[in-house]
């Protein structure tokens, strides 16, 4: 054998011993480290560290609690809910094409809600000409209470449309778009013949078509299905704060006639040409109504030069009062949006 051959053989036979040595060293290190860090002195060091950390955490919690308390105080008042969004100059509004609305500073019922956009008469989409009509409600979609809380878990799910106009105006919108399968729809429209409940007789099941090369899966354009029609009840009366000539006291109707409670899902849309003022002022002072109504959509009518084209000159309250009313209702726990 050559000198190098001997050395190689020695290396091969020595290598397992080297491995054992390395393993023993590592094990010793682990054991030593374990013993050292669980001895009295190191525990003391841990305690010192913990105390400092805990103190810092306590301070942080205290300042969080103070912040939360300040926020509670602010958000329990009208001021917190007023002027709650970033003010966007009207001239720069075109810059906000993808704007879906900033959240308000204060939450309502623990959930974010859109900031009030008084400057655009609460109709940003219309003011920016995203839509030619006010009947586009996409700006409300991210803020629906029904998409934050599962209202479908409630046994009774009621939609009240006060000032329903045509079937397609809002009853259809809420039936299709609102994330709740309403078991009752109560539609109030005083103008006779304006609101027509769609004709029953459309069957969703028989309208189904097998897969085909046209990718169309129904035989005819769907109509309003029977089950939906059956749930709609129409009232040809005025919605009011007091019972009267062809007018019903809506508060009494909700509490005594429908017997709605906080356990039910209740969504209310209101567009009643100024009659909303006394009703909402009453609800402001009625904590029971704030519990019963889960979400409220209201067109509040006011007098402002920018709304004269819409014949709003007849109304007496100012736009500032309207904004304050919405903010006040939010402070009382009403999840309220300007409609449309
Ligand atoms: C409407 O009904 C409510 C609830 O019953 C009642 O408290 C209120 O006084 C009524 N409104 C008027 C103007 O009488």
């Amino acid at each position: 054998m050559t000198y190098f051959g001997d050395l190689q053989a020695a290396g091969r036979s020595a290598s397992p011993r080297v491995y054992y040595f390395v393993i023993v060293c590592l094990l010793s290190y682990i054991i030593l480290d374990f013993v050292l860090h669980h001895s009295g002195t190191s525990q003391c060091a841990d305690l010192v560290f913990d105390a400092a950390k805990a103190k810092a955490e306590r301070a942080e919690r205290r300042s969080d609690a103070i912040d939360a308390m300040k926020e509670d105080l602010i958000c329990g008042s009208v001021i917190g809910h007023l002027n709650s969004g970033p003010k966007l100059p009207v001239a720069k509004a075109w810059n906000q094409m993808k704007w879906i609305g900033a959240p308000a500073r204060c939450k309502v019922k623990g959930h974010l809600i859109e900031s009030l956009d008084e400057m655009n008469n609460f109709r940003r989409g219309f003011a920016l000409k995203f839509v030619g009509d006010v009947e586009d409600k996409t700006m409300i979609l991210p803020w629906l209470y029904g998409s934050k809380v599962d209202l479908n878990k409630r046994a009774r799910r009621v939609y009240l449309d006060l000032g329903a106009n045509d079937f397609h105006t809002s009853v259809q919108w809420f039936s299709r778009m609102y994330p709740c399968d309403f078991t009752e729809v109560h539609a109030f429209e005083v103008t006779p013949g304006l609101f027509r409940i769609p004709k029953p007789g459309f069957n969703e099941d028989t309208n189904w078509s097998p897969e085909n090369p046209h990718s169309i899966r129904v035989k005819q354009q769907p109509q309003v299905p029977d089950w939906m029609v059956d749930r709609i009840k129409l009232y040809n009366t005025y919605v009011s704060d007091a019972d009267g000539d062809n007018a019903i006291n809506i508060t009494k109707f909700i509490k005594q006639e429908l017997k709605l409670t906080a356990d039910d899902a209740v969504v209310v849309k209101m567009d009643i040409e100024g009659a909303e003022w006394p009703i909402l002022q009453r609800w402001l002072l009625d904590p029971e109504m704030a519990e019963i109504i889960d979400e409220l959509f209201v067109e509040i009518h006011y007098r402002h030069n920018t709304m004269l084209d819409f014949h709003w000159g007849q109304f007496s309250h100012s736009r500032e009062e309207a904004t304050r009313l919405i903010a006040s209702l939010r402070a009382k726990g009403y999840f309220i949006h300007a409609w449309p």
Side-chain angles (χ1 to χ4, degrees), residues 103-163:
R105 170 190 186 173
C106 290
K107 292 180 177 180
V108 181
K109 293 185 204 259
H111 295 283
L112 289 176
I113 193 164
E114 78 280 7
S115 66
L116 298 175
D117 189 14
E118 177 195 39
M119 205 163 23
N120 295 306
N121 294 309
F122 305 105
R123 302 168 163 201
R124 194 179 179 86
F126 182 70
L128 299 182
K129 289 203 172 184
F130 292 166
V131 284
D133 187 6
V134 289
E135 300 303 337
D136 176 276
K137 288 98 183 173
T138 48
M139 68 289 194
I140 296 177
L141 291 179
W143 314 106
L144 294 180
Y145 186 66
S147 54
K148 299 156 202 276
V149 170
D150 189 2
L151 295 177
N152 288 306
K153 288 202 174 119
R154 319 251 181 106
R156 217 177 145 195
R157 304 179 296 274
V158 181
Y159 171 60
L160 281 138
D161 197 313
L162 315 178

Side-chain angles (χ1 to χ4, degrees), residues 33-45:
D33 183 74
F34 184 83
V35 169
L36 273 179
H37 283 89
H38 289 80
S39 72
T41 47
S42 61
Q43 251 175 17
C44 213

Side-chain angles (χ1 to χ4, degrees), residues 161-164 269-274 276 297-299 301 339:
D161 197 313
L162 315 178
K269 186 224 92 182
M270 195 191 282
D271 181 2
I272 48 177
E273 308 308 306
E276 68 275 8
F297 301 81
V298 187
E299 177 157 310
H301 298 81
W339 179 268

